[in-house]
Amino acid sequence: MMDVPSANQSQTSCQPWVDHNGWSPASLQGPLCNPLPSFQHLSQGLPSDQIPSYRPLQSSSQSSRSLLSHPSTPSLNDTEHHLQRMAPAHTIPQSPLMNETCIPQQMSLHSPHSPHPTLSVPFQPTHQILNGPHLPSSPPTFGQSSQYTPQLAFERMCAVDPGYVLNHPSSPIQQQPQWTPPYNRGAINEFPTDAAIPERSLVLQSPNSESRYGLDPELLPSAVKVMAEDQAEWEGKVFVSEPFSHLPPLATTYCIIEDKGNAGPNVIRSTSYCVPCDGQTTLLSRLPLGALVTPLAEQGPEDKPPPVCKESEVVAGCRWCGASMCPAMGWQDCGQRFYCPFCGKLNEVPWQQYQPTKGADGVRVDKDKRPELHTGSYEILNTQKGEPAVLLLAIDVSPLALRGGHLEFVTQQIHTLLSSLSGEDCEAWPDVRVGLMTYDSRIHLYDLNPALSRPHMLIITEIENPQLPVREGLLVPLRNCIDGLSSVFQHIPQLSHEDDDARGVPVELPIKAGLAVLQAFSCPGKLLIFHTAPLIESGHTQSSSGFFGSSKPKSIFQPSERAISLAKECVNQGCGIHLFVLSQQDVGGAWPGHIPYLTGGVLHTYSHLQGDLDRERFCSNLKRILEMKTGFKAELRIFVSKDLRVSGCYGLFVPTNPRQVTMATLDRRTTLAVELAHSRALDEARGVAIQTVLTYCTQTGDRRTRVHTLTLRCSQHLQDTFRHCQAQTLLTFYCKKMYCAVLERPLQELREELQTEITEALASYRKHCCSASVSAGQLVLPQNLRALPVYINSLRKSEVLLPGLRSSVHQRLQQRCQVLSMDAITTATHFYPLLLPLPLSVGTSKTSNPKEVLRCCASSLQPTGLYLVHAPHTLLLWVGTQVPACTLVELFNTSCFSSLPSGETRLPALENPSSVSIRALIDSLNSQSPCARKLCVVKQGDICEEALQRHLVEDKSPNGGASYADFLYHLHINSVRFLQ
């Protein structure tokens, strides 16, 4: 470990950094360096005597006053705010795996846009530092003295409006501990991974969020604080969505949305609400240009649903490009013609729909009476009516399924839910037609005609191209066949097989049979498959077209050609596959989730349904699927301004034309990311218009068209683009784009691309949007993108892009598909879970208020507390070792910490305020999740803590991902070097 320099030591002036290979920042060429670990570092170890340790330094008030006049400190005459932040009280020893000499500077808060005079409050070190030049962006030459201890300076972007006032610290002098750089040779492009240091695995008593470079994570921008500030700003207010409206609330912020001519942010959320006028400015910003589209987004409890119009009463849209009528259309010649912003052509108005215009703006006199003229979102009820959707059930009755002992429970639950749907007061799916089949190596169809004394079984032996022997009785209204279904369900567990063949059954078998039924009746529907047999792939051939039979790049995420072909057939028919795998296989077997997710369905896995928790989860998931409002045979068309084009569309669907996406089914959570590109320069006066037109069938057979239109401002100034971005929107866009790219590109390349884009975006903002001089040691972040680094770091080290030692292929495939179908709020919660402190005393109660959410790091967990970790597919309850015994009794009905249940469990229903409030909070969080979850209790120091470590995204992750502090530091270093 290097010693802290004393006052009588000399300090060599800093020169451009040249390492032992002769590299210098001035000669930097090619792509940005990647400081984050790669796979080859996971096997490197660190000697025990060289493990980094941290030593707090003693404060010295006298020496802290010797640096009041730092060379890089901005003067009071500057036009920006400067608020110095305190650096951490740690010294970093030498580490042989650290391939860079990191010499950060003083942390400060800087606003390049504020018109107020500058207030500079320099922080002072606790030890005297000799006068010397301000830190350059590169460390000194290795041949020079390494006793250089400058200050660490980071800068955060303040709000851009003139009315924003910073709260300065009460004392102008803050204590800053001294930082000692490690003396090590190597390039600045990598730092060690936590996976290479088993001795420093995360221990909650010694948080692993400590930075290797001396940064205090508590002083870094906080995603929790950003969400709390936005919630406080919009609490009790109404966001009026008008044409060319301003930045909306965050996706995680609840706010009433009023549609006044622009689609709400819950439907279309743009990556920037001020679009650059030309492609060169977009390229310069390094930010993506696009939007998130949730066509069937659920309205808030106080929001008005989109108005419904009849097709014959709606003013016809553009006859050239097919865009629907919307407020973005410009009326001319007293209302006789209108200008279409999506193709730039004029359209004649039919005389039956003509109305004159009024005022200087040229609006029609009937604007307030027609939803298509004054609302951003509306729905058209088409005159053409389609076939109602049906419900198909396919149950595995192979020998393994019959021996499993769970078929009786499954059939009972299906019968209970179908009985509830057949009631007269049921509004979820009235008059639904139901079909039933069972399968092993053959298909067994059931004739449910109510005229028969009992249902008849029809066996199909041709499984490759199944042909239906009859049609009548295969699909019968539920009210007329509920008794017949009950008798079949009672008979299924009693089936027996002559042979005891334990071979697997391909999942494609019931899918083909279900498609044959739907095609015979020309109707869409949901196909629910309850599978037990081992998962195998069908259609094996001796050709060399397999995974290893081609020289093309392969990915474990790629579905087979057979699965894609079958998914296309399902999409054309409007068949959504929902697969319940009742015997989960941890190792081996084909992953069956490609077809369900490509058709808008889901995959649920269980372990033979032996436990009560699995059975509760099965019932809840089955009920959600049956009651979820779904659109069938959907087609989404995307229109943009004539000077823009749709360059990509990312989500869970069979890829075809990015401007026209077809889906078998979709629901209120289905979200797509649309990427745009400039074809020519935009007109700043006209702005930008984005329209999505979704045509779909409801469960009752109504054909509807839902139209959403969003108009945005455009600007020639790069600064406006950064001001009108939001980190959660960019996270969701990057996530969908990268998770789609894993099908064709290496994971390491995608992680490097993510880091490079964010680095170049920060460098561009630093160069073009900072009006005042900024030192090389100050990190510049736009006000609305303060949380972007922690989000992007969490995305980079997710199991999909960075597999861990204990992550299976099936888990990664499942997680990718689950996240791809999420909306913005669910995606933000997935990559930054909510860490909620729970009340310990009887008289207090806490809810999931963003003001009370803690940062996702181990340092937030105290041994005396209870904490709930809420992610879309995970719910963890962490219990500290020093929780009062009375709290354990109230919550778990035991006073001994060692006797607490660990792992998946259920809280006992105790009649006391603490138990009631916590169980109510858990039920509320479960209702917001996309699927049913099991509560997992994690005791401090228990082996189950690894499940919690993966959700503490600000710390170093078990799969080798960098901590938030280290990632942010390297973003800053690379952005500064990029400008050199």
Side-chain angles (χ1 to χ4, degrees):
M1 178 182 299
M2 301 187 63
D3 297 329
V4 178
S6 58
N8 57 359
Q9 289 177 318
S10 62
Q11 185 171 354
T12 308
S13 61
C14 295
Q15 302 295 334
W17 181 17
V18 182
D19 69 359
H20 55 284
N21 292 323
W23 181 89
S24 66
S27 61
L28 178 63
Q29 301 292 337
L32 279 180
C33 56
N34 177 23
L36 298 187
S38 56
F39 285 111
Q40 58 265 28
H41 300 113
L42 296 180
S43 60
Q44 295 177 340
L46 187 63
S48 59
D49 58 339
Q50 293 177 344
I51 295 176
S53 58
Y54 300 91
R55 181 178 54 148
L57 301 179
Q58 302 296 328
S59 61
S60 174
S61 58
Q62 294 181 353
S63 61
S64 64
R65 301 176 181 270
S66 63
L67 207 67
L68 284 174
S69 58
H70 197 279
S72 66
T73 303
S75 63
L76 293 175
N77 295 327
D78 292 338
T79 59
E80 320 299 342
H81 280 303
H82 289 266
L83 178 60
Q84 306 299 330
R85 285 290 183 93
M86 184 166 59
H90 305 301
T91 57
I92 310 299
Q94 177 180 355
S95 172
L97 289 182
M98 296 179 67
N99 294 328
E100 61 181 327
T101 302
C102 310
I103 306 184
Q105 300 175 27
Q106 179 181 344
M107 240 180 149
S108 68
L109 188 65
H110 179 70
S111 172
H113 300 295
S114 177
H116 302 287
T118 298
L119 177 60
S120 177
V121 188
F123 282 86
Q124 310 305 322
T126 57
H127 286 71
Q128 182 178 1
I129 301 177
L130 293 179
N131 293 331
H134 188 60
L135 173 72
S137 60
S138 302
T141 308
F142 285 112
Q144 299 175 355
S145 172
S146 60
Q147 308 297 328
Y148 186 66
T149 56
Q151 296 171 304
L152 175 62
F154 278 93
E155 177 220 30
R156 187 187 66 180
M157 188 62 193
C158 300
V160 295
D161 53 303
Y164 188 88
V165 180
L166 286 174
N167 295 323
H168 301 287
S170 58
S171 173
I173 297 181
Q174 301 282 347
Q175 292 183 347
Q176 174 177 335
Q178 189 164 339
W179 187 89
T180 303
Y183 181 66
N184 189 30
R185 295 179 180 268
I188 195 172
N189 61 344
E190 293 176 355
F191 61 85
T193 172
D194 185 57
I197 311 174
E199 292 85 359
R200 293 190 61 200
S201 60
L202 181 80
V203 180
L204 298 176
Q205 293 88 339
S206 301
N208 207 20
S209 55
E210 298 282 359
S211 171
R212 298 183 185 276
Y213 312 111
L215 303 183
D216 186 354
E218 294 298 326
L219 301 181
L220 303 181
S222 169
V224 171
K225 184 178 180 181
V226 170
M227 290 187 289
E229 291 175 352
D230 193 74
Q231 181 66 49
E233 179 183 355
W234 288 100
E235 187 173 5
K237 298 181 181 178
V238 177
F239 174 75
V240 180
S241 186
E242 299 176 325
F244 310 106
S245 57
H246 296 284
L247 200 63
L250 293 177
T252 53
T253 298
Y254 172 74
C255 178
I256 301 175
I257 301 174
E258 185 176 354
D259 187 348
K260 290 293 186 179
N262 230 18
N266 59 328
V267 178
I268 303 181
R269 189 175 286 269
S270 178
T271 56
S272 177
Y273 279 75
C274 188
V275 180
C277 284
D278 55 85
Q280 187 64 27
T281 307
T282 303
L283 185 63
L284 190 64
S285 70
R286 302 299 299 176
L287 293 177
L289 178 59
L292 304 177
V293 180
T294 311
L296 293 182
E298 186 179 31
Q299 304 296 321
E302 301 182 44
D303 299 339
K304 296 181 180 179
V308 180
C309 316
K310 293 183 179 180
E311 185 178 12
S312 58
E313 300 176 355
V314 177
V315 178
C318 179
R319 64 184 180 91
W320 300 101
C321 64
S324 299
M325 180 55 62
C326 64
M329 302 290 187
W331 298 95
Q332 300 180 5
D333 298 337
C334 297
Q336 299 183 31
R337 298 190 297 175
F338 66 87
Y339 171 82
C340 176
F342 306 105
C343 63
K345 296 182 180 180
L346 293 176
N347 291 263
E348 298 289 339
V349 180
W351 65 268
Q352 299 90 339
Q353 299 176 339
Y354 169 76
Q355 287 291 334
T357 58
K358 63 178 181 179
D361 297 335
V363 298
R364 287 180 38 138
V365 295
D366 61 344
K367 173 184 176 182
D368 296 335
K369 299 179 181 180
R370 291 186 175 272
E372 68 271 22
L373 299 181
H374 73 271
T375 60
S377 299
Y378 66 97
E379 195 165 59
I380 302 173
L381 181 59
N382 300 341
T383 56
Q384 181 182 3
K385 190 175 179 65
E387 286 289 331
V390 302
L391 178 64
L392 282 177
L393 305 172
I395 303 176
D396 182 5
V397 292
S398 61
L400 184 61
L402 295 175
R403 292 196 305 264
H406 54 265
L407 281 183
E408 182 177 0
F409 170 77
V410 171
T411 53
Q412 287 178 357
Q413 296 304 316
I414 295 175
H415 180 261
T416 301
L417 289 176
L418 291 181
S419 300
S420 64
L421 288 178
S422 62
E424 297 181 356
D425 55 345
C426 176
E427 300 179 357
W429 208 340
D431 299 328
V432 59
R433 291 183 295 171
V434 178
L436 177 64
M437 71 178 76
T438 56
Y439 65 95
D440 44 20
S441 59
R442 301 172 298 178
I443 296 294
H444 317 136
L445 297 176
Y446 292 87
D447 187 351
L448 302 175
N449 195 327
L452 300 174
S453 59
R454 61 179 182 177
H456 291 177
M457 178 189 291
L458 308 173
I459 300 177
I460 302 177
T461 58
E462 176 60 35
I463 61 175
E464 194 64 30
N465 295 306
Q467 301 293 329
L468 301 183
V470 295
R471 287 185 51 199
E472 186 179 0
L474 297 182
L475 291 178
V476 180
L478 179 59
R479 295 177 181 177
N480 300 334
C481 66
I482 188 64
D483 294 334
L485 287 173
S486 177
S487 63
V488 175
F489 289 150
Q490 293 176 3
H491 178 69
I492 286 178
Q494 302 174 3
L495 293 176
S496 61
H497 285 268
E498 297 179 358
D499 57 343
D500 195 18
D501 190 0
R503 291 180 300 176
V505 178
V507 180
E508 292 85 352
L509 181 61
I511 296 178
K512 290 181 179 180
L515 268 177
V517 174
L518 295 180
Q519 291 170 353
F521 286 86
S522 300
C523 61
K526 292 181 181 180
L527 174 57
L528 276 60
I529 303 175
F530 304 90
H531 191 85
T532 306
L535 300 170
I536 63 172
E537 294 183 359
S538 62
H540 289 296
T541 62
Q542 300 298 325
S543 63
S544 61
S545 60
F547 190 88
F548 300 101
S550 174
S551 60
K552 292 183 179 180
K554 297 293 182 179
S555 169
I556 61 172
F557 300 100
Q558 285 181 345
S560 64
E561 295 181 1
R562 191 180 186 88
I564 294 179
S565 176
L566 196 54
K568 288 181 179 179
E569 294 185 39
C570 294
V571 169
N572 295 333
Q573 191 58 41
C575 175
I577 309 297
H578 299 265
L579 179 58
F580 294 81
V581 178
L582 306 180
S583 60
Q584 182 177 0
Q585 297 175 345
D586 296 331
V587 180
W591 190 66
H594 291 297
I595 298 178
Y597 282 110
L598 288 176
T599 59
V602 293
L603 169 67
H604 296 293
T605 57
Y606 308 90
S607 180
H608 295 281
L609 295 178
Q610 297 301 322
D612 293 339
L613 297 179
D614 266 350
R615 295 194 171 195
E616 288 182 7
R617 192 162 59 96
F618 172 81
C619 298
S620 178
N621 288 329
L622 181 60
K623 183 178 180 181
R624 292 190 185 198
I625 292 175
L626 294 179
E627 296 180 352
M628 175 70 72
K629 293 184 178 180
T630 308
F632 299 87
K633 300 188 73 171
E635 181 184 71
L636 180 67
R637 291 174 294 157
I638 305 170
F639 301 91
V640 294
S641 296
K642 63 183 182 67
D643 298 327
L644 294 176
R645 59 182 176 87
V646 179
S647 60
C649 189
Y650 313 106
L652 272 181
F653 55 88
V654 179
T656 51
N657 183 3
R659 293 193 57 181
Q660 186 171 346
V661 180
T662 56
M663 294 171 283
T665 61
L666 78 164
D667 54 39
R668 60 184 177 88
R669 296 183 185 271
T670 305
T671 303
L672 307 178
V674 180
E675 188 171 20
L676 308 178
H678 287 81
S679 55
R680 60 182 66 88
L682 295 169
D683 186 358
E684 192 170 359
R686 291 187 179 274
V688 172
I690 303 174
Q691 184 180 91
T692 62
V693 180
L694 176 71
T695 304
Y696 69 101
C697 277
T698 63
Q699 296 177 157
T700 57
D702 294 333
R703 194 72 178 168
R704 300 193 175 208
T705 300
R706 184 167 293 192
V707 182
H708 304 291
T709 307
L710 178 68
T711 54
L712 305 170
R713 294 182 292 119
C714 57
S715 174
Q716 298 179 356
H717 303 289
L718 182 63
Q719 204 172 55
D720 294 332
T721 302
F722 283 98
R723 290 179 183 179
H724 294 84
C725 293
Q726 290 178 332
Q728 293 178 354
T729 306
L730 293 178
L731 166 69
T732 308
F733 183 89
Y734 278 126
C735 172
K736 294 185 182 296
K737 183 176 181 179
M738 293 299 161
Y739 277 19
C740 287
V742 298
L743 298 177
E744 300 176 351
R745 298 174 57 188
L747 302 182
Q748 177 69 15
E749 180 181 324
L750 295 178
R751 294 197 301 270
E752 291 175 355
E753 179 180 326
L754 264 177
Q755 180 189 336
T756 300
E757 289 195 10
I758 302 302
T759 300
E760 293 181 357
L762 295 183
S764 175
Y765 185 82
R766 185 186 194 92
K767 179 178 180 180
H768 302 284
C769 301
C770 290
S771 57
S773 60
V774 180
S775 65
Q778 291 177 307
L779 171 67
V780 183
L781 288 175
Q783 170 74 3
N784 294 323
L785 300 184
R786 288 172 291 166
L788 185 60
V790 68
Y791 284 143
I792 295 300
N793 185 43
S794 180
L795 172 60
R796 288 183 77 260
K797 62 183 182 179
S798 62
E799 295 288 337
V800 176
L801 298 182
L802 185 62
L805 298 177
R806 298 188 181 182
S807 56
S808 66
V809 174
H810 285 194
Q811 290 173 348
R812 297 174 61 203
L813 290 167
Q814 177 88 342
Q815 185 182 118
R816 172 187 174 269
C817 292
Q818 288 174 341
V819 176
L820 268 177
S821 61
M822 292 179 180
D823 52 11
I825 180 174
T826 313
T827 304
T829 309
H830 174 79
F831 288 103
Y832 199 95
L834 299 182
L835 181 58
L836 308 172
L838 298 181
L840 298 180
S841 59
V842 178
T844 62
S845 62
K846 291 189 177 181
T847 60
S848 56
N849 192 328
K851 297 180 180 179
E852 300 173 349
V853 177
L854 304 178
R855 301 184 68 154
C856 281
C857 56
S859 59
S860 300
L861 305 177
Q862 302 297 327
T864 57
L866 291 169
Y867 301 89
L868 199 63
V869 179
H870 164 62
H873 296 93
T874 307
L875 190 64
L876 304 176
L877 177 59
W878 187 83
V879 184
T881 56
Q882 302 177 20
V883 174
C886 60
T887 302
L888 297 179
V889 172
E890 292 176 352
L891 192 57
F892 300 99
N893 201 23
T894 179
S895 60
C896 182
F897 177 82
S898 59
S899 62
L900 288 181
S902 182
E904 298 175 350
T905 184
R906 183 195 307 114
L907 293 181
L910 304 177
E911 296 301 327
N912 60 76
S914 294
S915 178
V916 171
S917 62
I918 291 178
R919 285 186 287 112
L921 173 60
I922 292 175
D923 293 339
S924 175
L925 294 176
N926 283 332
S927 64
Q928 303 172 14
S929 63
C931 62
R933 303 172 300 178
K934 291 183 290 187
L935 176 66
C936 182
V937 175
V938 179
K939 297 192 297 183
Q940 183 178 359
D942 193 79
I943 192 174
C944 297
E945 274 193 338
E946 184 177 348
L948 174 65
Q949 295 170 17
R950 292 195 295 267
H951 293 85
L952 301 179
V953 295
E954 292 197 16
D955 295 346
K956 300 162 190 174
S957 58
N959 62 350
S963 67
Y964 167 42
D966 292 347
F967 178 73
L968 182 61
Y969 172 77
H970 281 271
L971 281 184
H972 166 65
I973 290 297
N974 281 347
S975 63
V976 172
R977 180 179 301 167
F978 181 79
L979 297 179
Q980 295 176 348

